[in-house]
C-alpha cells in the first residue's frame, strides 16, 4: 500500500514515524516533506496547495491513501479534489474545514448550538468595531477571521493598540483577505488544553490531552508562535473536565457539523480554556496540532493507519485503540529570531543523545549535511514515567544538538509540573 502525507513539518515527520512503526509493509511518500524525512519517505517536490500537482503526483506514484494535515490545503478543498478523482483521503473536506479557516463560521456554529465559548461579535467595518471595543472596554481579543499563520490574534493592552490592530486587519494590510473580517471576543482566563480527536462525523474519540507553549520566550513572554513545545497529558484536564468537555463540547460540535450539512471527518483539534465558569472553546483546528501531535502519538496504543482509514470510512467505532499511561515532552529548537525574521543555512549537528525521537521541520540538505531552512527546525521528544522526567530527558538531549542562533524555551512543562505540585 502506498501512503502519502502532505506537509513538511515536525507533525508530518511524527505521523510518518508512527505509520511506519506498525505497518512495515507500506510505502511512504511525503509532499513536499523535508530532508530530515528522507530515510522514512520518498519526497515529492511539489507545492502542497497546488491541487493539480498533488493529484498528478498521487496518480503517478500509485497512492492509495493520502493524509492531508496542514491548514492551507484543507481550506482550499484538497480532500474534495483528491476524493473526486479516486484517491482516498484522511482529513475534512473544504466545507468542514471552515471550522478552522473561518473563525466567524466556528463562532456562529457555537452560538447556534449552545457550545460554550467566549462572547463575541463579528465586524467588517472599522468604526463599528472601534465603538464596540469602547463600549465593552479592555481586556478584549481581536481575531482575524481567516487563516493567518497563527498570528491572527491580538490582545491589545490599550485602545490605541486595539485601533491599530483593527486598522491593519480590516484594511487587508495585516493578513490580506483573511483579516478583512474580524471576530472581537471576550477575554477568558485559565489554563489552556489542546485535545485532538478522531471523528468520522458520527463517532468522536479524543486522544490524550496536551499543553502547548505558544509564546516565543520563557515565562510565556514574547510573540505568539506556532508552538515552542508541548507536554502530554495535560495535568489540569481532570477526568471530570474530560466528561464535561465530551458532553458539552465534543459531541455537540460533531452533531452541529452534521446538522449543518458538513460532517467533519478527520482529526478535530479543540483548543480549550479551563475557566472558572467551565470548559470553553478558544478555537477549533481542522487538523492535527503541531507540536501537539509529536507528544500525543507516542502515547497512542493502536495502529494509526487503521484508525485513519476507519475515520475516513465511517467505522471509527469498530477500531480498537487505547493510551499508554506515560508522559511525553517535546521541546522545539527554532532559528534565532523566530517568529520574526531569522537566518537560514546554519549547519545542524546532532550527537548521540537520550531523546526518543527528533522530528525534523525547517531543515534542508546542503552538500550532504543538514542545515536550517525554517523557523521551527527540530522537535526533541522523550516519553517517560512523568512529565518531569520526560522534560528532563529532552533538555539533556538538547545538550548534544547545535546550530548557530539556536533558540528554544527552557521552561517547557514548568507550569504543568507546578500545577501538579499545587503551585
Ligand atoms: P487562537 O489562534 O484562537 O488559538 O489564539 C491564540 C492564543 O490567543 C490562544 O492560545 C490563547 O492563548 C489566546 N486567546 C485566544 N482567544 C482568547 C480569549 N478569548 N481569551 C484569552 N486568550 C485568548
Ligand atoms: N500548536 C497549535 C496549532 O497547531 O495550531
Amino acid at each position: 500500500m502506498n501512503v502519502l502525507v502532505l506537509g513538511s513539518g515536525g507533525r508530518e515527520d511524527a505521523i510518518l514515524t508512527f505509520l511506519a512503526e506498525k505497518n512495515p509493509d507500506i510505502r511512504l511518500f511525503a509532499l513536499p516533506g523535508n530532508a530530515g524525512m528522507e530515510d522514512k519517505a520518498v519526497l515529492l517536490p511539489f507545492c502542497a496547495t497546488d491541487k493539480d500537482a498533488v493529484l498528478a503526483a498521487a496518480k503517478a506514484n500509485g497512492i492509495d491513501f493520502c493524509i492531508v494535515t496542514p491548514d492551507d490545503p484543507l481550506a482550499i478543498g484538497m480532500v474534495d479534489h483528491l476524493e473526486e478523482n479516486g484517491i482516498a483521503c484522511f482529513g475534512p473536506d473544504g466545507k468542514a474545514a471552515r471550522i478552522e479557516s473561518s473563525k466567524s463560521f466556528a463562532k456562529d456554529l457555537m452560538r447556534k448550538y449552545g457550545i460554550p465559548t467566549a462572547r463575541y461579535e463579528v465586524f467588517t467595518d472599522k468604526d463599528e468595531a472601534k465603538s464596540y471595543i469602547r463600549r465593552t472596554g479592555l481586556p478584549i481579543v481581536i481575531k482575524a477571521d481567516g487563516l493567518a499563520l497563527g498570528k491572527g490574534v491580538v490582545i491589545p493592552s490599550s485602545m490605541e493598540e486595539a485601533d491599530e490592530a483593527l486598522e491593519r486587519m480590516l484594511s487587508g494590510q495585516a493578513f490580506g483577505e483573511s483579516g478583512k473580517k474580524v471576530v472581537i471576543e471576550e477575554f477568558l482566563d485559565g489554563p489552556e488544553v489542546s485535545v485532538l480527536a478522531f471523528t468520522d462525523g458520527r463517532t468522536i474519540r479524543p486522544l490524550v490531552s496536551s499543553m502547548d507553549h505558544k509564546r516565543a520566550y520563557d515565562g510565556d513572554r514574547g510573540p505568539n508562535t506556532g508552538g515552542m513545545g508541548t507536554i502530554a497529558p495535560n495535568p489540569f484536564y481532570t477526568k471530570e473536565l474530560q466528561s464535561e468537555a465530551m458532553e458539552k463540547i465534543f459531541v455537540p460540535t460533531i452533531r452541529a457539523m452534521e446538522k449543518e450539512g458538513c460532517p467533519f471527518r478527520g482529526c478535530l483539534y479543540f483548543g480549550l480554556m479551563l475557566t472558572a465558569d467551565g470548559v470553553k472553546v478558544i478555537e477549533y483546528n481542522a487538523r492535527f496540532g503541531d507540536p501537539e501531535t509529536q507528544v500525543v502519538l507516542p502515547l497512542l496504543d493502536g495502529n494509526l493507519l487503521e484508525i485513519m482509514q476507519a475515520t475516513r470510512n465511517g467505522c471509527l467505532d469498530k477500531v480498537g485503540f487505547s493510551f499508554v499511561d506515560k508522559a511525553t515532552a517535546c521541546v522545539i529548537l527554532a532559528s534565532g529570531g523566530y517568529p520574526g525574521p531569522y537566518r537560514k543555512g546554519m549547519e545542524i549537528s546532532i550527537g548521540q543523545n537520550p531523546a526518543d525521537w527528533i522530528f525534523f521541520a525547517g531543515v534542508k540538505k546542503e552538500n550532504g549535511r543538514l542545515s536550517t531552512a525554517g523557523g521551527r527546525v527540530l522537535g526533541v521528544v522523550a516519553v517517560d514515567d512523568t512529565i518531569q522526567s520526560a522534560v528532563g530527558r529532552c533538555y539533556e538531549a538538547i545538550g548534544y544538538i547545535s546550530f548557530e542562533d539556536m533558540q528554544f524555551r527552557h521552561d517547557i512543562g514548568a507550569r504543568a509540573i507546578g500545577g501538579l505540585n499545587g503551585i
Side-chain angles (χ1 to χ4, degrees), residues 11 212 214 226-227 269 283 285 287-292 376:
R11 165 185 57 196
D212 195 4
K214 286 205 169 88
Y269 168 132
E283 65 163 344
N285 290 323
R287 54 174 174 81
F288 287 98
D290 186 346
E292 283 87 347
R376 293 189 290 178

Side-chain angles (χ1 to χ4, degrees), residues 103 141 143 153 155 185-188 192 214 282-283:
K103 293 212 191 269
V141 184
K143 299 184 172 184
V153 175
I155 304 177
E185 69 177 33
E186 171 196 13
F187 178 85
L188 299 177
E192 287 184 52
K214 286 205 169 88
I282 287 283
E283 65 163 344

